[in-house]
Structure formats: C-alpha cells, structure tokens
Amino acid sequence: MNLALRMLDRTGLLAVIVVFWAIFVVFADGFLNRVTIFGLSRTVAVTAVIGLSQMVVLGIGQMNLAVGAIGGMIGVFTGWLMQSVGLPVWAAVIVALLFAAFVGWVNGIIITKTGINSFIVTLGMASVITGLVFILTKAEAFRDLPDAYTSFGKVPWVELGWLELSPLIFIAVAIAIVMALVYKRTTFGRWMLATGANPRAAELSGVPVNFVVQATHALSGLLAGAAGIMIVSRLGSALPSIGENWLLPSFAAPIVGGTLLSGGAVAVFGTLLGALLIESVSVGLTLMNVPSFWIQLFIGLVLLLAVLIDRARTVAVARGQRGVRQTPAGATSG
Amino acid sequence: MSTTLEAPPQTYALELRGIRKAFPGVQALDGVDLVMRPGEIHALVGENGAGKSTLLKIITGIYRPDEGTLEVDGQSRAFGSPRDSLHAGIGIVHQERNLIPKFSVAENITLEQPPVRNGQWIDRDRMRTESERWLDLLQIPIDPERSVEDLSVAQRQLVEIAKALSLESRILLLDEPTASLTPHETAVLFEILQRLRDDGVAILFVSHKLEEIFAICDRVTVLRDGKVAALDRDLRELDRDQLVTLMIGRSEHVAEFPQRDLSEAPVVLELRDVTSAAGPTDIDLALHKGEILGLYGLVGAGRTELARTIIGDVPMTSGEILVDGQSAIISDARAALERYRIGYVSENRQTEGLILSHSVLANVAMTVWSRLATWLGWIQPGAERSAVGPFIDRLQVKTPSLEQQVGNLSGGNQQKVSLSKWLAAQTAILIVDEPTVGIDVKTKHELHELIWELANQGLSILLISSDMPEMVQLADRIVVMVDRRVAGSLPNNRNYDDMSQQIMSLIHRRADPPDTPA
Amino acid sequence: MSAVALHQASSSRLQSLANKEWAWLAGIILLMSAVLTILEPNFLTQFNFYVLLRGIAVTLIVAYAQLMVLVVGQLNLSVGATGGMVAICTGGMMEVWGLPTVIAVALGLLIGVGAGLANGLLTTRTGINGFIITLATASAFTGVTIGLNDAKPWYNLPKRFVEFGQGRIGPFPYIAIVTIIVGILLWVLFERTLLGRQILAVGGNQRAAELSGIPVDRILVIVFVLSAILSSIAGIILMARLGSAQPSIGSDWLLPSFAIPIVAGIALSGGSAPVINTALAALLIALIDNGLVLTKADPYWIQFLLGLIILVAVGLNRLRAVREAKRTTAS
C-alpha cells in the first residue's frame, strides 16, 4: 500500500517529465540531439546536488539559504587552491569539501547554540560569506585551472551513438545512492528524519538532536560545496558570482520531487527527477525561443503547482487513513 | 442549590441531539444528547476519554459533528468555526490555556469584543475600565495593564475566566475551571456562577472534582465511552457512589491488584534533596526495584517537572540523584536512556512521545537505533523489525502492519506504541506520565494490567497520574506533591475511600495559604 | 535597589524593555554620527543628509513590508519582486498608455493588491508555509518584471512625477513625506485600531486568537495584501527617485527587509510590531552604508556587514531573552 503510493509519486513525476520531453521533441528543434542531451546531463547533475544540499536540511525541518553562498565560495576557493596554491586536483577537492562541511557546521552550531531559526541564521551567513568572497577576490575569477579538472566537466564519458553523458551526472547519481542508503540504512539517517518530524519526541527518545542538526548542516554545506566544485569544472573558471541564483532551484528540485517542507520525510531520487524536470523545461523552452524571463516565471509556477499537488495528496492520503510517502521504516526515497 | 426548577421552560438554551463524531480508529461520540436550560448549572462528567472535550469542541465550533443537531434557544445551528459559536452567544473557559502572552490582561479579557469607537478605533480607557470590572468581580488583584507573560498559572486561569465572563453570554461553558485555583479563589468563582445562574444564564460545568459538582451544580449529564450514561438527571436524586457508578459503568474497580511491600527490595533510583530549575524543591524519593511508586498532586504541583529533571531534560540546581546506589550525572534524555536505562513516557503523547507521521516501526525503534547500529551507523535490513516486533506483539498493539502511520492508530494503541518504545530499549526504570489520559476504558484496563505485569517482572516504575482511582489501583506507595514539594508518602492499602481521604488531607494541609506569585 | 523600586521595575518591565531597545538604537546612532562627523567632513553636509534620507525613505518602507508579515510569524520573500513588478507596470502605463500619474499609481497599487491576494490566499487556502509560496510567486513576479519590456527600463515618466521623486527642501527629500505618512499610519494601525490588535493577536497565539473568534485566515490575507501594498509603494517611489522604471528594482531588497526589523528587535515568532524601532534601525543601517561610501570602502563590505549585523542582532536578542527568563525564574 505504502509502496504503491510511493510508486505513484514517482511515476506521476516521471509521467510529467515524459510529457514535457514529448512536447519538446516535437516542438523544440534539436532537443534530442547529442549536444543538448550532453548539456542537459551536466546541468541536471549540478541542480540535483544543489537540491540534495537543500533536501537534507528540509528533512530535519529547517532550511539553508546559504546553499548558493557556500557553493559560490567553495567554487572560488577550489579555483584559488589550484591556481594560486598549486595543489593537485584531488587534494584541492578534498580540502575544499572539508572547508564546505566546516562552513555548514558553523551554521549548525549557531542554530543549536542560539536557538534562532535556521532561516535567519543562514540568511545572515549567506550575506557574510558572499560579502567576504567579493571583498577577497575583488570580484575577479580564477581562470587558469588544470586541464584534468576542467575537462572532467566538459568531456563526455559515455558515448552510445547519439547519447553522450557527462561524468558529472554519474557523480550526482552516486551521491544520491549514498544519500538514499544513509536514510534507509543508517542510524544517522533515521535520526535526521526523527528530528525533522518531531524534534521533541526524538530528543526524549535519546536522539542527540543538537548533534544531528549540526551534522546535517555540515552535510548540506558539503553537498553545496560539491555542487560548486562541479559547476566550476563545467564552466572552466571559478567565478565569484556562482551560486547567486541557486535559491529557487535548491527548493524547487526537492519539493517537486516530493520532499516534505515540514520535515521528517525526504525524497532522494525524487530530487534527481525534480532537477531533471526543471532543467528539461528550461532547456526545452530555450530551444523553443522562449525568452529566459518567461522560463523563470514558468519554474515559479511549476514549484507552486508541485506544492499544491503535494498538499492535495497529503490531505487525500490523510483522509484515506494511509501512510504518506517514505518514512524511516517504510524503505527509502520516493 | 438555591433555586428550584419545577416548571421546565419552553425551549432549551442549548440542545444537542444524536451527536456522532469519529476520529481515525475511534468513535469519540456515539449518539450523544445534551440539554441545558436557562438558569441552571449543568454538570458534564465522565472519565477521561469519555468524550467530554470532543463534545465541548463541537459546541464551540472547533469540530463539526459527523451527525446530529445543535439548537440554541430553539434555533438550529451549524458552527463552522469558534467565531460562529461566539456569535451565537456561547462563551467558554477552555481547559488549554488560550491567552496571547504578549498582550496585557485588559487586551486579553476584551479580545473577543474589543471596545471600539466608529468600528475600528480601540478605546483604551474603556478597555481598562471594562476589564477592571471583571477583575474586581472575581476579586483578582491584578493590574489590567500587566502583560500576561508575567502572570502565574493561577492568575492566568483567573484572567481566562474573566475573559469568558466579559462576553456576558447566555450560555457559559467551563472546562475544568478550578484546576489550578486555591480554595478561596474557587469559592469566589462559585459565588459568581450562582449569581449568573440566578440571572438566567445556562452554565455547563465540566470537572472531575466530584465535591465541586455536588456543591454547585443542579443537574448532570454523564458520558461514558462516547455515549450518554445518564441524561439531564437531577443531582439531588443522586449520591456520590451512584454518580461514580454511572461514570465508570460498574460499582467497583475490575482488576484488584494485591498489596505489596517492596521496602526490602534494593533501591534503584534515589533522589536526595533535589531542586530543579523548573520548580521542584528539596525532593527526596526512593524507588525500589519492581515497585510502582505513585506521584500524585494537583495540576502545577511540579510532578512532570520532576520527571523532566530526573531524565536530565531540565537542569538540577542542587541535590543528588543516585541510580543503583551510584551517584548519577544525567545530562540529557540520551544519557538517561543509554547510561542509566531510564525512560520517560511523556504525558503529551502526540507532541512529545510519538512521531505521528512516521510508522509504528520507526517510532518503536527510535530508542534502539544506536544499539542496532554496526560500523558507520549501519543498520542491517530486518534488524529493526526483529528488535521491535516482539514488544508490539506483547503489548497487543492493534495495527494492520508495522508500516502503519502512528497518527492513524487510536489513542490507546498510540499509548501502547509509546510504551513499547521504552520496553524495546530495555529500560530498568520507567517514568510514566499520565498514561491513560484520553484513552477508552477498555484499553485503560489493559494498560493497567500491563504496567502491573511489567513491575512484577522487575521494571521499576514511577507513575505520575491525576487519576485517583488509577493511583490507588496501581501504586505500591503514593508520594503526594504540593506546591513543588513532597508533602508526604503513603503506603497504599488499596482502599479507595481511605486513600483519597489521606491524599486530600495532605494536599489541603499545604494548599490553603493564598497563592502569592513570585 | 529598594523593594518598591523592584516592584515598579517588574510591573513595567515590558515597557522599560522597549525603551531600552529604543535607547540602545539611538545611542549607537548618535555614536556613529559622532564618529562620522569627526572622521569625515563630508558627513555633516546638507547634501549628504539628503542622500541619507533619500535612501531611508525607500528602505524603511521595504522593511515595513517585511515587518507586516513577520508580525504574524510568516515570511515574505516576494517583497522585492512585488516592488519591481509594480514599478515596471506603473512605469509602462505612464510611458506606453500615457496615463496620468495618479491613475497609473492607483492601478499600480491595485496590481500590488492582486499580488498580495495571491500570496495570502495561496498561503491560507493551502496551509503551506508562506516562505515557499512567496519564493514561488517571487519567481513568477520577477518573470513578469523582466518579460514585460524585455529587461529594458521605461525612461519616459511624467515630469511632475520625477520632480517629486528627486526634489527636496534643504536636506529633506519629498519622497520622505510618503515614508513618514506610512510610518504614522502603521503606528496607528498597531496601537489604536481593532485590525491592528487582531493582527498582533494572530501573531501572538494563533490558536487562542481563533478560539476567541478572530477570523484568522482573513487577517492573514489582509496582512499579505498590506505587505504587498507597502512593497508597491516602495517600488513606485524608488522609480520616481531614479527617474526611470528599472527592472532591477527590488532585486536587492531581501537582505535589508529582514535585517532592519531584526535589528529593531522584532520577535521572529510573531506578535510584536516595533514600528518606531524599525525606523531607527533603518537609520542605523543607512548610516553604516553612508559611512562605507564616504570612506570609499569596497562596496561589498555592506553585504558582509548586513549579514553580520543580522547574526549579532538576533544573537543579542536571544541572549537578553535567556537572561530575562533566568531572572524571572530566579525571583
């Protein structure tokens, strides 16, 4: 019963994606060609990781407005490590990821120590981080990056006839699989969902709620940083403006995917599908020569619609007295 | 009982017929009638879970009935919101506190009908004078300009009563209005209620203090298990025993548990001079192995706060807690569970005990995740199920599957789930706070037997309950708390009348000095 | 302290607390002004004061737009998007349709009302957090703003309108008149009217307000509409000040809209409406901005400092609340 509903969730979203793809294949010239699909695989990968970074904090019933700021900072930081410090790619990536997790952890520390809501703390932190990045870089980008790194984001990995996929999408899927396992199979995953659904009950049941909040924000920072590193390898240069417009997709991907805003239930693969839907729509509409601002309006409407459908479904499910979506016991990731 | 009510009036002030209301898994009201005349004080009694609060919520428009009719002064009404009910002239003192903390006393009292000029402009002078009138009437020495945030619990309750009175409604509902009042404050309130009755107001008085019912009410309606056990009876024709029989549906308690003396058993939990930041002061307690130690007191006596102090949820400011004779430092609920194997079943089942949107499995397993985890916090597939399943079976939780959302279970089964959680955690000491509030009579007995059986198997239980029969039935010893201190400890001889007498005399020996807020 | 004094202190604690906040802000403002006066000769000039007030005139209304929803414990991410959309629409009506100023402004405000209704109705009818609703509508409004004239500004605005936006009497800009009127109206709303009390009650304890017969949903819709109207006013006077309807209007309002009420000490859980303190907070933040400009610091410092100020301000409020709570339990 529960499983069937979850399948419905995911197949519903899949059906919407299929409908859009059908429309674009017919009306948008060149949607199904190798360049478009390759490009799509790169953007979907980054958006999905951005979405996962927001999803983990939504799962504990909080939010992270600093996802974009952290992503931008880590992109620039990675560029600096490679270009100015001269670290090898692997070392730069590890150092940058650790730093990203640290910044996220600082968010978590401020939230748990002061008890201030996550919205305000991460809003303030985002502003502080972005301000610092621009002050320190004087708004200059790092463009002289190692080939090994930039080619990773530019050269396809899989080539099956017309189908070419970026390695970035494999990274995104790998991250999603790990996340799904964390939620399904680990104590920490259960802790996150219990904290999100009812922090008080979780605390009284021996869940170390403050630790969970801090660690989840660290994880969110880590994922935001990963998205930053991925996008720099795609762009080939570390621009300080990276992350400026991540706010909307960071919420849209997980919510369209079926993550509950109120916390306690997440949809890992749903977030991937959400990212696929959003990016397909923007690429498709662009190919149809729709001006970019109408695409923004459209994505706003898609988010609104997703939220409304989610609400209607939750209410319907509650009336039918059945389980909603995935909870820790009912297997993971709708 | 001053006035007589020989000639029944033409119409009832309030008349409900055939009210039915169901919640997932439970038929809360099953064809309930209620009638009230102008100029009478009508008691509504019944055990916890009998349906009193659901019925009140229907009268005040918070719930809509599934079936049934509601008439005010002979006119049929359907309330969609509390607003509709207020407009129909029904005032209520809710059991839950419903004041706006940041507002002043005057602003709260006049919240429903703020004095305005020209429709929009607040008239502050009249706001003050009007609220002063009601405060004076209730003899409450509070400045109406004071913020409600700064008031004591008793003062807030009085403000709430003043708020309801200020509506001057023809129908007034009072849900446990005296829960945190001193005898003097209660007497003043009763005087006013009698005056209102003489003015023709229809008053519905909900209380489980039977002395109060007999002291002030004219007629009574008894609810039991969501049905009417007695409709509109004259209280002069009933005595206390008959009323109790109507409420519980039998004349004596079913399960008679034997008397036990466990004073020789080892002490598993001892409190020495414990003072808590949340109020409890100089508490001395000793819980023996396998014992059920009752903690009785009125609302606000500090029992729940004491429980929270024991599990480290509230800091202890002085004193010492010993577990198994060893001094224990309990920093939080996690330490209580993992280091000292102490569990706390919260009185707020839905907000603090359970995760309603999660499955039965996830709820029960919550306390054992750490134990089940292997390397990197990994939990083997099926490990939860095998750890949790036996306890669900043992407590006979009625659920279609372990995947069922807890929010869809009945109150009794929810309580069983929250108990299972602590059994699965293999706690040695369990603090159970109001375990049977809002639970139907049958499940209540099951829970009593279960608690007894657990204690017999060696679990040491600290039982917090405001339900005197439950206390007398279950506890081996009863510690009475008054005003955040221990007033005395009584061995339980399981004689209800004797025990309730002893407990009440302990409470009233200390409760009499007038309430002076800090 | 004597017993009598103690008693008095506790009875008017809230009041004295509010006063403290007020005094606190005023003190910092005076201190900053003194420092700037000493360090920067250009600070005490008439023109600099005009620049300062001109900035506050807009940001204060933006802050009020956010304050409006913060009072009921909600958030509005579409303050900037609404302001931008209304400015572009109003400008377009002036340039393309040649509508007189008064009519164009009235229609512009009406569009703002529509935006607010959309936010309010979506929030109350669906029960979804206002944050996510306004995040989505903000994206939609911004789409309209940019799409209407292909991301290009309208330049041909009525002369009188622009004169009003850019004119001044000494250091005092005309547009500040609008801001002062808005501030007074808001103060009256919350201090003196039934609607204001109802809004505060909903913010203070929504459940209690509902049980006391206050039409909670209607109040929430009204709050979102008022917030949108304030955003629209800010957008329109900024357009007048700039002399053109820029599609970028509102794009950088998010941060100050939260920072100013927070510095003013608003309770994020709802129930308080510090109208006057918000004005002081706007002045304080404008002074910081002004100081950075005068000292020719990197413009990105203001973003850094605004973020820091938010964190410090909430941190201090929190600290005080904790200390307050300790004092009450101790006594």
Side-chain angles (χ1 to χ4, degrees):
Chain A
M1 177 171 68
N2 221 342
L3 190 76
L5 254 168
R6 273 202 321 282
M7 291 298 290
L8 197 78
D9 278 8
R10 218 181 306 172
T11 47
L13 186 52
L14 264 176
V16 173
I17 294 173
V18 168
V19 169
F20 272 110
W21 274 54
I23 293 172
F24 294 142
V25 168
V26 177
F27 295 103
D29 273 349
F31 186 76
L32 259 195
N33 82 20
R34 69 162 67 190
V35 179
T36 308
I37 297 299
F38 172 67
L40 199 55
S41 75
R42 299 197 305 179
T43 49
V44 169
V46 174
T47 305
V49 178
I50 295 170
L52 289 174
S53 147
Q54 191 68 260
M55 184 201 75
V56 294
V57 278
L58 288 176
I60 58 164
Q62 301 194 349
M63 42 181 112
N64 184 359
L65 299 201
V67 163
I70 296 175
M73 176 189 68
I74 294 303
V76 170
F77 183 62
T78 314
W80 177 76
L81 286 175
M82 290 179 187
Q83 182 179 325
S84 305
V85 182
L87 285 189
V89 173
W90 63 270
V93 167
I94 290 175
V95 171
L97 286 177
L98 286 176
F99 187 51
F102 171 76
V103 175
W105 179 75
V106 170
N107 280 337
I109 288 285
I110 298 178
I111 291 165
T112 50
K113 295 288 172 198
T114 62
I116 301 160
N117 86 39
S118 60
F119 173 87
I120 293 301
V121 169
T122 55
L123 177 75
M125 277 296 278
S127 179
V128 167
I129 293 169
T130 309
L132 270 183
V133 166
F134 276 89
I135 292 162
L136 294 177
T137 62
K138 302 192 166 49
E140 296 285 335
F142 293 92
R143 297 177 194 280
D144 195 10
L145 305 176
D147 280 348
Y149 175 52
T150 51
S151 65
F152 190 78
K154 284 181 172 159
V155 181
W157 251 17
V158 171
E159 291 177 65
L160 288 171
W162 56 268
L163 183 68
E164 285 183 352
L165 294 175
S166 162
L168 295 178
I169 192 74
F170 293 98
I171 291 186
V173 171
I175 290 176
I177 291 172
V178 171
M179 289 308 303
L181 283 174
V182 165
Y183 280 108
K184 189 182 165 80
R185 284 279 159 256
T186 71
T187 319
F188 181 58
R190 310 298 166 93
W191 280 349
M192 285 196 283
L193 292 178
T195 301
N198 187 341
R200 187 72 188 134
E203 188 181 13
L204 290 178
S205 302
V207 173
V209 169
N210 282 345
F211 165 77
V212 172
V213 170
Q214 290 161 14
T216 308
H217 276 278
L219 179 60
S220 175
L222 180 78
L223 291 169
I229 295 171
M230 286 162 75
I231 206 167
V232 169
S233 97
R234 195 186 96 198
L235 297 172
S237 58
L239 307 165
S241 62
I242 287 171
E244 270 178 0
N245 42 18
W246 286 11
L247 188 67
L248 185 69
S250 82
F251 282 96
I255 288 169
V256 169
T259 297
L260 272 192
L261 270 171
S262 48
V266 296
V268 177
F269 294 112
T271 302
L272 285 189
L273 292 181
L276 178 59
L277 175 66
I278 294 165
E279 294 302 338
S280 303
V281 167
S282 23
V283 170
L285 291 180
T286 310
L287 287 174
M288 287 167 75
N289 288 322
V290 175
S292 61
F293 19 86
W294 293 116
I295 297 174
Q296 180 167 19
L297 186 144
F298 196 77
I299 290 177
L301 293 182
V302 167
L303 173 60
L304 211 53
L305 206 67
V307 174
L308 293 180
I309 291 172
D310 178 87
R311 186 72 188 177
R313 195 173 47 203
T314 313
V315 171
V317 169
R319 283 214 184 107
Q321 293 168 34
R322 281 134 115 243
V324 203
R325 213 177 329 247
Q326 127 213 30
T327 58
T332 334
S333 324
Chain B
M1 272 148 281
S2 48
T3 50
T4 49
L5 297 154
E6 252 63 69
Q10 304 297 321
T11 52
Y12 292 114
L14 182 70
E15 180 176 5
L16 287 89
R17 296 287 178 193
I19 300 288
R20 290 171 59 84
K21 177 78 187 172
F23 296 107
V26 61
Q27 184 73 38
L29 294 177
D30 191 0
V32 167
D33 297 343
L34 178 72
V35 293
M36 287 166 64
R37 293 167 198 81
E40 76 175 18
I41 301 182
H42 196 108
L44 180 65
V45 296
E47 290 192 287
N48 290 324
K52 287 172 300 182
S53 57
T54 309
L55 189 63
L56 285 178
K57 284 181 176 161
I58 283 173
I59 301 174
T60 50
I62 298 169
Y63 293 156
R64 288 172 202 230
D66 299 336
E67 270 176 53
T69 58
L70 188 156
E71 288 183 5
V72 178
D73 291 326
Q75 283 186 315
S76 180
R77 301 275 192 160
F79 297 146
S81 71
R83 202 172 155 72
D84 296 342
S85 169
L86 280 167
H87 282 305
I90 299 174
I92 179 164
V93 178
H94 286 281
Q95 195 178 358
E96 42 177 324
R97 296 285 80 92
N98 279 299
L99 300 174
I100 315 265
K102 286 196 171 63
F103 278 26
S104 72
V105 169
E107 284 167 344
N108 268 293
I109 290 177
T110 56
L111 190 60
E112 284 93 346
Q113 296 172 338
V116 285
R117 274 176 283 132
N118 308 325
Q120 269 299 319
W121 302 93
I122 296 285
D123 188 337
R124 292 204 163 259
D125 295 334
R126 245 173 68 210
M127 191 185 260
R128 192 191 160 91
T129 49
E130 264 180 40
S131 43
E132 260 172 356
R133 200 173 109 221
W134 295 106
L135 292 172
D136 289 349
L137 191 66
L138 279 163
Q139 304 179 17
I140 315 172
I142 307 176
D143 178 1
E145 302 294 328
R146 258 180 90 180
S147 167
V148 161
E149 279 175 316
D150 302 337
L151 301 184
S152 72
V153 177
Q155 287 172 322
R156 287 184 196 203
Q157 180 149 30
L158 289 166
V159 169
E160 220 153 323
I161 293 169
K163 178 170 179 244
L165 292 180
S166 77
L167 295 173
E168 304 189 280
S169 9
R170 305 307 296 163
I171 300 168
L172 182 60
L173 318 177
L174 300 122
D175 191 1
E176 303 284 358
T178 61
S180 41
L181 299 189
T182 63
H184 172 70
E185 288 162 341
T186 304
V188 173
L189 172 66
F190 283 3
E191 223 171 89
I192 294 168
L193 292 183
Q194 273 156 351
R195 213 181 308 156
L196 288 173
R197 169 189 52 200
D198 297 343
D199 291 346
V201 176
I203 299 169
L204 188 70
F205 189 84
V206 183
S207 174
H208 56 232
K209 296 182 188 165
L210 295 184
E211 321 81 74
E212 292 184 351
I213 301 280
F214 281 101
I216 187 171
C217 297
D218 306 308
R219 302 182 76 83
V220 64
T221 294
V222 183
L223 293 186
R224 189 200 320 144
D225 277 340
K227 296 193 174 77
V228 174
L231 178 66
D232 193 27
R233 294 272 293 270
D234 192 331
L235 262 173
R236 285 169 300 187
E237 297 162 4
L238 290 170
D239 63 22
R240 190 197 157 93
D241 287 346
Q242 287 170 312
L243 189 59
V244 169
T245 309
L246 284 170
M247 282 166 64
I248 62 177
R250 57 189 156 13
S251 45
E252 77 262 6
H253 315 290
V254 271
E256 285 284 357
F257 298 121
Q259 235 169 299
R260 298 192 302 178
D261 180 10
L262 291 158
S263 53
E264 298 303 312
V267 173
V268 290
L269 175 72
E270 190 178 352
L271 272 60
R272 288 185 188 159
D273 255 350
V274 168
T275 297
S276 153
T281 310
D282 301 334
I283 305 292
D284 286 298
L285 269 187
L287 174 65
H288 297 266
K289 184 164 171 56
E291 185 182 35
I292 301 177
L293 178 61
L295 204 51
Y296 192 86
L298 299 180
V299 173
R303 295 166 301 159
T304 296
E305 290 77 4
L306 182 61
R308 292 183 186 286
T309 310
I310 295 174
I311 59 161
D313 190 43
V314 175
M316 185 168 75
T317 49
S318 69
E320 192 183 17
I321 294 178
L322 296 97
V323 177
D324 290 330
Q326 305 280 315
S327 180
I329 296 159
I330 307 175
S331 53
D332 54 19
R334 185 171 170 75
L337 170 67
E338 304 211 326
R339 210 169 313 150
Y340 301 104
R341 295 167 62 209
I342 304 175
Y344 171 62
V345 182
S346 168
E347 59 179 332
N348 304 316
R349 204 162 45 234
Q350 306 216 332
T351 54
E352 294 190 340
L354 295 166
I355 297 181
L356 297 178
S357 62
H358 286 183
S359 67
V360 172
L361 183 63
N363 269 280
V364 180
M366 187 153 44
T367 51
V368 294
W369 284 333
S370 301
R371 215 180 64 218
L372 298 179
T374 57
W375 188 70
L376 270 183
W378 190 261
I379 297 172
Q380 285 302 319
E384 281 179 308
R385 195 172 283 271
S386 47
V388 160
F391 296 99
I392 301 282
D393 293 344
R394 180 165 158 209
L395 297 203
Q396 299 174 337
V397 178
K398 290 188 202 84
T399 173
S401 75
L402 288 181
E403 275 71 39
Q404 176 73 324
Q405 247 182 287
V406 167
N408 292 335
L409 302 179
S410 71
N413 279 305
Q414 287 183 0
Q415 186 65 296
K416 286 182 182 174
V417 169
S418 64
L419 269 174
S420 311
K421 184 165 97 175
W422 296 106
L423 300 185
Q426 296 172 351
T427 47
I429 300 166
L430 198 54
I431 306 173
V432 189
D433 199 349
E434 303 285 3
T436 57
V437 166
I439 284 171
D440 63 282
V441 179
K442 191 166 157 287
T443 316
K444 190 168 166 177
H445 289 306
E446 281 177 40
L447 281 167
H448 288 164
E449 272 163 32
L450 183 80
I451 289 171
W452 181 259
E453 193 190 311
L454 290 171
N456 259 340
Q457 288 164 5
L459 187 66
S460 314
I461 295 171
L462 188 59
L463 173 72
I464 298 174
S465 177
S466 306
D467 183 340
M468 183 96 71
E470 174 170 285
M471 202 42 111
V472 176
Q473 188 189 357
L474 275 177
D476 296 306
R477 264 187 313 139
I478 299 172
V479 167
V480 179
M481 277 183 77
V482 177
D483 258 350
R484 305 182 185 91
R485 287 169 188 273
V486 171
S489 168
L490 307 163
N492 186 1
N493 60 20
R494 311 223 181 240
N495 176 327
Y496 181 80
D497 291 333
D498 182 33
M499 286 313 293
S500 57
Q501 202 65 48
Q502 288 190 49
I503 290 172
M504 278 308 162
S505 68
L506 268 181
I507 287 177
H508 291 299
R509 200 177 64 205
R510 293 198 57 153
D512 276 334
D515 179 289
T516 42
Chain C
M1 202 188 280
S2 73
V4 179
L6 250 176
H7 178 75
Q8 278 169 347
S10 78
S11 72
S12 62
R13 191 189 306 142
L14 257 202
Q15 218 174 340
S16 72
L17 207 80
N19 287 343
K20 237 186 267 165
E21 186 90 58
W22 189 88
W24 213 65
L25 282 167
I28 298 179
I29 289 169
L30 285 176
L31 191 74
M32 278 210 54
S33 310
V35 171
L36 283 172
T37 310
I38 296 165
L39 292 181
E40 277 302 322
N42 289 336
F43 176 71
L44 264 191
T45 58
Q46 203 184 63
F47 183 73
N48 189 49
F49 268 58
Y50 163 65
V51 171
L52 200 61
L53 290 174
R54 181 177 79 173
I56 296 171
V58 177
T59 52
L60 181 55
I61 300 182
V62 170
Y64 282 146
Q66 193 65 259
L67 173 122
M68 209 62 223
V69 284
L70 287 175
V71 172
V72 292
Q74 290 271 10
L75 307 165
N76 184 355
L77 298 201
S78 70
V79 167
T82 307
M85 179 174 71
V86 169
I88 283 290
C89 292
T90 311
M93 287 188 280
M94 288 169 172
E95 179 171 331
V96 181
W97 294 350
L99 289 184
T101 303
V102 177
I103 296 178
V105 167
L107 288 175
L109 289 177
L110 213 59
I111 293 171
V113 169
L117 271 178
N119 284 336
L121 289 175
L122 282 169
T123 307
T124 52
R125 288 290 153 84
T126 63
I128 298 164
N129 188 337
F131 168 83
I132 211 75
I133 296 286
T134 54
L135 176 68
T137 56
S139 172
F141 298 160
T142 308
V144 173
T145 307
I146 309 174
L148 216 56
N149 193 28
D150 288 344
K152 292 193 293 285
W154 305 107
Y155 287 109
N156 292 321
L157 304 181
K159 214 170 136 229
R160 296 270 305 276
F161 179 67
V162 177
E163 275 170 9
F164 173 76
Q166 299 178 340
R168 61 182 170 121
I169 312 167
F172 192 80
Y174 291 144
I175 52 171
I177 298 169
V178 177
T179 313
I180 289 171
I181 292 173
V182 163
I184 291 172
L185 285 179
L186 281 184
W187 186 84
V188 170
L189 172 74
F190 287 116
E191 292 295 323
R192 290 280 176 267
T193 71
L194 178 60
L195 178 64
R197 302 314 306 174
Q198 289 179 326
I199 293 173
L200 285 165
V202 170
N205 183 344
Q206 185 161 334
R207 175 97 181 127
E210 192 181 355
L211 291 175
S212 300
I214 291 172
V216 172
D217 280 359
R218 197 190 310 162
I219 296 291
L220 287 175
V221 172
I222 290 173
V223 161
F224 273 104
V225 169
L226 288 176
S227 172
I229 291 175
L230 290 169
S231 313
S232 308
I233 295 173
I236 290 168
I237 63 172
L238 180 56
M239 169 174 75
R241 197 191 94 191
L242 296 171
S244 60
Q246 303 280 350
S248 63
I249 286 176
S251 60
D252 54 354
W253 289 359
L254 184 69
L255 205 59
S257 82
F258 283 104
I260 293 169
I262 287 173
V263 169
I266 197 167
L268 290 169
S269 50
S272 71
V275 174
I276 294 169
N277 286 350
T278 300
L280 289 176
L283 176 58
L284 174 61
I285 284 174
L287 274 176
I288 295 171
D289 195 9
N290 191 249
L292 288 173
V293 172
L294 290 176
T295 53
K296 299 183 182 61
D298 195 322
Y300 297 110
W301 277 103
I302 185 66
Q303 182 166 25
F304 172 78
L305 285 175
L306 266 184
L308 205 62
I309 286 168
I310 289 183
L311 294 177
V312 170
V314 277
L316 285 177
N317 281 346
R318 184 74 197 171
L319 200 74
R320 206 174 44 193
V322 170
R323 213 178 282 158
E324 192 70 19
K326 268 199 192 133
R327 218 180 58 199
T328 12
T329 48
S331 66

